[in-house]
Amino acid sequence: MTGAESVRVLVVDDQALVREGIASLLGIEPGIAVVGTAEDGREAVEAALRTEPDVVLMDVRMPVLDGVRAAELIRERLPSCRVLMLTTFDDEEYVLSALRAGTSGYLLKNLPARELAQAVRLAHAGVEQHDAAAIRRLATALDRDGHRPPAPRPDLTGREFEVLRLIARGDTNREIAAQLYVSEGTVKNHVSHILSRLGLRDRVQAVIYARENGLA
């Protein structure tokens, strides 16, 4: 499937084997069309402006221009394009920089192929995604850097507090669903309610909120 309904993806990585492997894996996934590849940040920006992808899968550490700066430039020039970081590095400085660049997530390369394809689809749909280890590092970095969420409001249900505690531990929706014996859809609804009721922007702020209020 490579028609108008397909998610157009640009793959960026300085390692040819990794780059071509990811492109090949995504190329056979239904609903995904790989429109190009690039081996460094500068090429990524040029390719993005030329192909106008829906999602850019971007490595962090690359020659010429790093992935974070490339992500910033792409987001400035193509605001509707989602940039999803895919890297082997979970260093908190990279994670924090990627967040500030307006990326749609930070994932590690140990992700299974099928989950990577789903991550691309979710990024296109506007869903932010972070590897569990990256979430923990990101929360630590944001907390130390002074990025704190709004003041606490004690208006969560008991189940929502339970979900919040598991989010703060770094659990995914699937893991939370398994522990609470509910569906992933139910967990997603709880997460949405938690963020809305506490005035938080995303799961990262939820982690910080939980830590500051003794829930993690």
Side-chain angles (χ1 to χ4, degrees), residues 91-111:
D91 183 274
E92 63 186 37
E93 182 178 349
Y94 284 132
V95 180
L96 179 58
S97 296
L99 177 69
R100 287 172 169 167
T103 62
S104 295
Y106 197 100
L107 302 177
L108 301 183
K109 288 179 179 176
N110 57 6
L111 198 67

Side-chain angles (χ1 to χ4, degrees), residues 60 68 72 85 89-103 105-106 130 134-147 201 204 208:
V60 171
V68 172
E72 290 177 335
M85 309 306 288
F89 302 102
D90 64 351
D91 183 274
E92 63 186 37
E93 182 178 349
Y94 284 132
V95 180
L96 179 58
S97 296
L99 177 69
R100 287 172 169 167
T103 62
Y106 197 100
H130 298 279
I135 287 181
R136 296 185 186 99
R137 287 186 176 275
L138 184 56
T140 300
L142 287 174
D143 196 22
R144 185 176 62 246
D145 203 43
H147 288 71
R201 184 172 64 85
V204 173
I208 302 171

